[in-house]
Amino acid sequence: MADKEATVYIVDVGRSMGGKNQGRQQPDLEWAMLYVWDKITSTVATDRKTATLGVIGLRTVGTVNELAKEESFANISVLQDIKQTLLPDLQRLRGLMKVSKTNDGDAISAIVLAIEAITKYCKKLKYRRKIVLVTNGRGSLDTDDVSEITSKIKEDNIELVVLQADLLLVIWHLLTASRGVDFDDADYGFKEEDKDSQKAENEAILKSLADSCDGVFGTLAQAIEELGIPRLKMTRPVNSYNGQLTLGDSEQYDTALSIDVERFPRTMIRRPASASQYVHRADLSNRQASVSSSTTILPDADALEGESSAPNTNGLAAVRNARSYQVEDDTAPGGKRDVTRDELAKGYEYGRTAVHISESDESITNLDTQAALEIYDRYMSMSTSNVIIAQKTNSKAIIALSSLIHALFELESFAIARLVPKDNKTPVLLLLAPSIEVDYECLLDVQIPFAEDVRSYKFAPLDRIVTVSGKILKEHRNLPNETLSSAMSDYVDSLDLSSFGKDDDGYPVEYMQMTDTFSSVLHRIDQAVRWRAVHPEEPIPPPYDTLTKFSKIPDDLEASSISKLMELIEAADVKKVPPKLRSRKRQRDRVAPLSGLDVSALLATSRPTSKISPDNPIPEFRQMLETTEDPNGIVDAASQLISIIEKHIKDSFGDSNYHRVIAEMTALRQEMIEMEEPSLWNDWLKKLKEKLRSDGLGTGRDELWWRIRKDKLGLVVKSEMEVSDIGDDEARQFLGK
């Protein structure tokens, strides 16, 4: 379970925050809010009720706080009390973050209000408490009670972050190392020149506050730059096994080894956020929302009782899935009868039939196993990794497991174990590897396959060719020669990343280290979702450089490998791919021969096909389209195939010809789309429907129309072909009738 959090953001919206500094095109408030929005949206995305936050506006036109009667707390407004923040709250806050028309307001007093809010909300409970102040430091600061404020911050263990726009500094209480904006920081290479006296005084006050709170400070430029570095999710360890690690049968032999251990995940795949299905409901009101979600849907009516509700700006309703079960029953309407889930029975596929297993016999399919971790023999990894440690309070188990770990390490050996996490669970095989670090030692485990899990494949060798007669060829046109192999080896060596990077002292190190390699899909989706939550209409910014850094070859490395690449191209005799020419069919490309000799044209008959045979209509129809030179030939070919289709329908005994008709209609529709002549198909399909309904092609042809609908042979719509004048709604209505 994650720690409970309470954070208060104090945002300076004074008139001076509308200025643009350091050559930026954005006002100070907008630029500083990039950091604040990133932090707030990250909290909202967790969807945890224990991750709460509040927002206080500094230097606002009005005054809204519990101490409003006191003069020092004027022009400070509580925009949101500490609570779990949802998407509607986020959108409401975004509308409030506007530059005001006053410069009055004391930042120190705002910190006092934030401390009071946190103390009132958290009481004496265990919370991670934080105050984030964003200001440009140009207002007056009341320093009379700074020492008492510092003592209170330390007493309540509050993490203080001060972002000073235009001066911007960042103060972190414990481990936070992000920086503020435009604050003098020699380490980051920034020093503000021609600083006015009030600004310098405020800087000294804030620096003193940082020192007294055991914090650090820097520039917001660095803080915003570090936003591009993905934040790794910290998870609390939850053991997947708590029992004994045994070597031998401890129930039969006294010499068997048995150690009390716990098993925790070492690596686990972190998957990106998945999208859920929702529908737009124009008539959706707050009281009608049926499913709750912190980022999309307001709670249902029961959850809203006694609370003031905000408007649902998204108008989304969650989609609920319903599953029904049917069995064939000739006596039921439609030949199928609905059954309830309780009537279902479990069966296992056996050939083309199902073998029934009753509930009383279900124990047959379950193994009678007891929870255990038993050392075994053999390995091949097929899972994520875990760590096995001794029980933390069992000193005897700690010594015993340490002995086993050191024995495996000294013998350079692994162990194989059979794991049953819980009684009656399916056993799995694990490979146990010793790991000895400075601070701890453990066994690393990965799952390995049973014999049935291993897939063995035979592929042709890459270094030789075996002929049908069994002769082995070492030289062949499909085998690389020594020159090509050497050139490829040199090119690969020229792209070596193992020593391309540089450490802080300039020494060569691995360029693409694991600790610097992040999942671009996961963090890009996270970035896009958080941006869209705050900026619903603005385009999503490009991904951070950190995510795309390793997606391409470094420029210096690419430049140094050009010579080796050219040698490889020469050795491999790489030729330019023949250019593509547009064929007569507008949607097809064909490759022009390098020699310029069109063999297909030479082999083509001098007299193109002009008559389509009913016995072989589809190939001849396509051949006629390929050979026709006159646009009217397309109409002629389509008319002939249409006549053949209608004849097959009329002559069909029952549904005997329906499969041929469907195939011919599919070919006609595809070719008309490729020829950009959708009107020929659409006009005929409308006539065909009338003929089928009026029995113009024989009685009882409704089933054919059902098959046409099933194979989606409807009208060609504008989304398929721009020249079509049929809309999606019209096509859907036509096919559904």
Side-chain angles (χ1 to χ4, degrees):
M1 180 178 178
D3 293 332
K4 292 186 287 187
E5 303 174 8
T7 304
V8 175
Y9 292 90
I10 305 173
V11 182
D12 187 347
V13 296
R15 184 176 59 196
S16 60
M17 288 290 287
K20 300 178 182 179
N21 294 281
Q22 306 303 324
R24 294 187 297 268
Q25 298 300 317
Q26 298 170 293
D28 286 345
L29 177 61
E30 183 179 343
W31 189 56
M33 287 305 295
L34 292 176
Y35 177 87
V36 178
W37 287 133
D38 183 87
K39 295 299 181 182
I40 293 180
T41 53
S42 296
T43 302
V44 174
T46 62
D47 198 17
R48 292 192 292 114
K49 292 183 178 180
T50 56
T52 58
L53 63 90
V55 181
I56 295 177
L58 172 62
R59 296 201 290 177
T60 59
V61 174
T63 303
V64 182
N65 62 73
E66 294 181 350
L67 303 177
K69 295 181 180 180
E70 299 186 24
E71 183 179 355
S72 59
F73 293 94
N75 299 106
I76 302 175
S77 300
V78 177
L79 304 181
Q80 175 180 299
D81 293 323
I82 299 177
K83 66 173 185 175
Q84 182 190 9
T85 301
L86 306 179
L87 182 58
D89 301 317
L90 195 63
Q91 295 171 339
R92 182 180 62 83
L93 287 173
R94 183 170 181 260
L96 298 176
M97 294 304 170
K98 307 293 184 182
V99 178
S100 71
K101 299 180 180 180
T102 181
N103 281 327
D104 297 332
D106 178 27
I108 302 296
S109 298
I111 293 178
V112 173
L113 288 175
I115 296 174
E116 178 68 20
I118 290 178
T119 303
K120 182 178 179 181
Y121 182 82
C122 300
K123 299 182 175 63
K124 296 296 182 180
L125 301 177
K126 184 178 179 181
Y127 270 84
R128 292 179 58 188
R129 310 167 191 219
K130 179 188 289 188
I131 296 175
V132 180
L133 169 63
V134 178
T135 178
N136 62 4
R138 293 184 179 274
S140 59
L141 298 179
D142 185 359
T143 60
D144 293 342
D145 300 321
V146 168
S147 59
E148 290 81 358
I149 294 172
T150 301
S151 300
K152 182 63 175 176
I153 290 175
K154 284 186 171 183
E155 178 185 345
D156 292 350
N157 195 25
I158 296 176
E159 181 181 339
L160 179 62
V161 181
V162 178
L163 302 174
Q164 190 167 337
D166 186 27
L167 257 171
L168 287 176
L169 64 96
V170 175
I171 304 172
W172 244 258
H173 176 56
L174 295 174
L175 300 178
T176 311
S178 297
R179 303 291 185 178
V181 182
D182 302 349
F183 183 75
D184 289 354
D185 188 348
D187 294 337
Y188 195 65
F190 178 82
K191 180 174 178 61
E192 186 181 7
E193 303 295 342
D194 301 327
K195 189 182 308 179
D196 61 53
S197 58
Q198 184 183 21
K199 198 171 184 182
E201 181 182 353
N202 289 341
E203 179 178 326
I205 294 172
L206 292 172
K207 186 177 186 303
S208 174
L209 180 61
D211 293 339
S212 61
C213 291
D214 300 326
V216 294
F217 60 90
T219 65
L220 183 63
Q222 182 178 356
I224 292 180
E225 180 181 331
E226 290 179 356
L227 295 180
I229 301 176
R231 292 178 288 273
L232 301 183
K233 182 180 180 181
M234 302 301 294
T235 58
R236 286 189 173 183
V238 178
N239 64 42
S240 56
Y241 175 76
N242 187 351
Q244 293 185 332
L245 170 64
T246 61
L247 177 57
D249 191 345
S250 59
E251 295 182 359
Q252 297 186 26
Y253 305 102
D254 296 337
T255 57
L257 177 66
S258 180
I259 306 172
D260 294 322
V261 299
E262 294 180 276
R263 181 173 182 253
F264 296 90
R266 175 62 175 267
T267 61
M268 191 70 67
I269 298 176
R270 184 183 173 191
R271 305 188 185 280
S274 58
S276 301
Q277 291 182 331
Y278 294 93
V279 294
H280 282 277
R281 287 279 304 277
D283 60 337
L284 186 67
S285 67
N286 297 331
R287 303 287 175 174
Q288 292 174 324
S290 59
V291 179
S292 64
S293 170
S294 68
T295 56
T296 52
I297 303 298
L298 291 176
D300 57 22
D302 295 336
L304 288 172
E305 291 183 359
E307 298 181 10
S308 60
S309 57
N312 185 353
T313 57
N314 290 323
L316 299 177
V319 178
R320 291 185 175 181
N321 297 324
R323 178 175 294 180
S324 61
Y325 302 91
Q326 294 180 328
V327 295
E328 294 183 359
D329 188 349
D330 296 336
T331 61
K336 293 183 179 180
R337 175 171 57 87
D338 292 337
V339 295
T340 63
R341 183 179 177 82
D342 296 336
E343 297 179 77
L344 303 181
K346 182 179 288 187
Y348 291 86
E349 187 176 350
Y350 183 73
R352 298 189 62 126
T353 60
V355 177
H356 170 58
I357 301 294
S358 63
E359 292 185 6
S360 60
D361 294 332
E362 276 192 12
S363 59
I364 296 175
T365 62
N366 297 328
L367 293 177
D368 185 14
T369 57
Q370 285 76 41
L373 179 57
E374 303 167 340
I375 294 180
Y376 237 50
D377 188 10
R378 90 171 191 271
Y379 67 89
M380 183 182 293
S381 173
M382 58 181 294
S383 75
T384 56
S385 62
N386 299 271
V387 296
I388 296 175
I389 61 173
Q391 291 181 349
K392 301 174 184 178
T393 58
N394 191 334
S395 58
K396 183 178 179 181
I398 293 174
I399 296 174
L401 183 63
S402 177
S403 301
L404 175 61
I405 292 172
H406 281 268
L408 292 173
F409 182 80
E410 292 172 5
L411 294 175
E412 299 182 350
S413 300
F414 294 158
I416 306 300
R418 174 181 177 271
L419 172 65
V420 179
K422 295 182 180 179
D423 292 346
N424 297 324
K425 290 290 185 179
T426 304
V428 296
L429 293 182
L430 302 178
L431 171 69
L432 306 182
S435 176
I436 300 177
E437 303 293 341
V438 176
D439 299 329
Y440 69 94
E441 53 190 29
C442 64
L443 289 173
L444 303 178
D445 79 66
V446 292
Q447 185 179 347
I448 57 177
F450 291 97
E452 296 82 2
D453 300 325
V454 179
R455 299 290 185 266
S456 299
Y457 301 100
K458 290 185 178 180
F459 298 99
L462 299 177
D463 60 344
R464 63 189 182 278
I465 291 179
V466 181
T467 64
V468 178
S469 61
K471 185 179 179 180
I472 299 178
L473 302 178
K474 293 290 186 178
E475 295 183 0
H476 190 271
R477 60 184 179 86
N478 292 334
L479 294 177
N481 53 35
E482 293 185 3
T483 303
L484 178 57
S485 299
S486 177
M488 177 60 75
S489 178
D490 294 341
Y491 179 62
V492 172
D493 291 341
S494 68
L495 296 175
D496 183 18
L497 298 175
S498 61
S499 59
F500 184 74
K502 301 291 183 182
D503 62 10
D504 295 337
D505 298 326
Y507 293 103
V509 294
E510 183 181 356
Y511 174 71
M512 190 175 174
Q513 299 187 29
M514 183 180 296
T515 54
D516 298 329
T517 308
F518 304 96
S519 171
S520 56
V521 174
L522 189 152
H523 295 291
R524 175 57 175 166
I525 291 177
D526 181 60
Q527 176 196 7
V529 171
R530 287 188 284 108
W531 179 269
R532 180 58 72 237
V534 181
H535 310 86
E537 303 297 334
E538 299 178 18
I540 297 175
Y544 294 121
D545 294 338
T546 308
L547 301 180
T548 59
K549 178 180 179 180
F550 300 125
S551 63
K552 59 181 181 180
I553 303 175
D555 295 337
D556 295 343
L557 187 63
E558 185 177 16
S560 63
S561 64
I562 288 294
S563 59
K564 300 298 182 183
L565 176 60
M566 300 309 297
E567 293 176 5
L568 176 61
I569 291 175
E570 182 179 356
D573 193 21
V574 177
K575 294 184 174 63
K576 186 178 179 180
V577 176
K580 288 185 177 181
L581 294 181
R582 276 291 187 189
S583 67
R584 182 192 52 78
K585 289 195 173 184
R586 303 177 183 90
Q587 300 299 322
R588 293 182 180 175
D589 294 329
R590 60 186 178 91
V591 177
L594 288 173
S595 62
L597 184 64
D598 193 346
V599 178
S600 299
L602 295 175
L603 297 178
T605 57
S606 58
R607 298 179 61 184
T609 303
S610 60
K611 187 71 174 177
I612 300 177
S613 170
D615 298 328
N616 192 29
I618 296 177
E620 293 185 6
F621 168 65
R622 286 177 171 157
Q623 183 182 3
M624 187 173 180
L625 291 178
E626 290 286 351
T627 57
T628 184
E629 298 292 339
D630 186 0
N632 294 328
I634 300 175
V635 179
D636 183 29
S639 300
Q640 291 189 46
L641 184 58
I642 288 173
S643 300
I644 293 173
I645 293 173
E646 293 184 349
K647 185 176 186 304
H648 286 162
I649 297 174
K650 192 171 184 178
D651 295 344
S652 177
F653 183 73
D655 61 353
S656 60
N657 284 346
Y658 286 179
H659 66 285
R660 297 182 61 185
V661 171
I662 295 298
E664 292 162 355
M665 291 181 65
T666 301
L668 177 61
R669 190 178 190 275
Q670 291 176 347
E671 294 298 328
M672 291 302 100
I673 292 177
E674 292 191 0
M675 302 302 297
E676 298 184 0
E677 295 289 348
S679 59
L680 292 177
W681 164 265
N682 291 341
D683 295 342
W684 171 71
L685 188 62
K686 294 176 182 179
K687 296 177 182 178
L688 176 65
K689 182 178 180 180
E690 294 298 328
K691 291 181 180 180
L692 294 177
R693 293 296 172 85
S694 62
D695 295 336
L697 298 175
T699 58
R701 300 301 184 191
D702 291 340
E703 184 180 351
L704 176 59
W705 185 251
W706 177 82
R707 292 197 181 188
I708 293 173
R709 293 177 57 193
K710 177 184 176 183
D711 288 270
K712 299 180 180 180
L713 297 176
L715 299 173
V716 177
V717 297
K718 193 174 185 63
S719 58
E720 292 181 277
M721 180 64 60
E722 291 188 2
V723 297
S724 174
D725 56 355
I726 303 296
D728 291 340
D729 294 338
E730 180 182 353
R732 194 179 302 111
Q733 185 178 8
F734 171 80
L735 199 60
K737 289 185 177 179

